[in-house]
Amino acid sequence: MIPIQRQMLTLSFGLENEQHFNPAQIGQQLNLSRERIRQMMHGSCITKTKNYILEVSPQ
């Protein structure tokens, strides 16, 4: 089972098939509200992604 945060990033940025989805569309696919998707993306995914980029990018 794929973690929800990974699914949200994949759908949002079109990482599998280059098709981008907005929070409402992602919420429909994951059976969550648009607002919950927005909250999770802002709080969790963006922070984790930013931290990852800072760790792996050459200074």
Side-chain angles (χ1 to χ4, degrees), residues 12-57:
S12 180
F13 295 108
L15 299 177
E16 285 184 356
N17 59 9
E18 297 183 14
Q19 184 177 6
H20 303 268
F21 293 94
N22 64 40
Q25 294 167 322
I26 295 170
Q28 286 177 343
Q29 290 190 18
L30 301 178
N31 295 319
L32 296 169
S33 70
R34 175 198 60 80
E35 179 61 17
R36 184 64 184 135
I37 295 297
R38 187 197 65 75
Q39 291 169 351
M40 291 173 70
M41 288 184 74
H42 182 72
S44 172
C45 293
I46 291 175
T47 302
K48 287 180 181 179
T49 303
K50 181 183 85 173
N51 290 340
Y52 174 76
I53 290 169
L54 291 174
E55 287 175 9
V56 296
S57 65

Side-chain angles (χ1 to χ4, degrees), residues 1-10 26 30 32 37 40 45:
M1 181 154 219
I2 300 171
I4 265 187
Q5 290 88 354
R6 185 173 182 164
Q7 289 177 328
M8 290 183 339
L9 282 173
T10 300
I26 295 170
L30 301 178
L32 296 169
I37 295 297
M40 291 173 70
C45 293

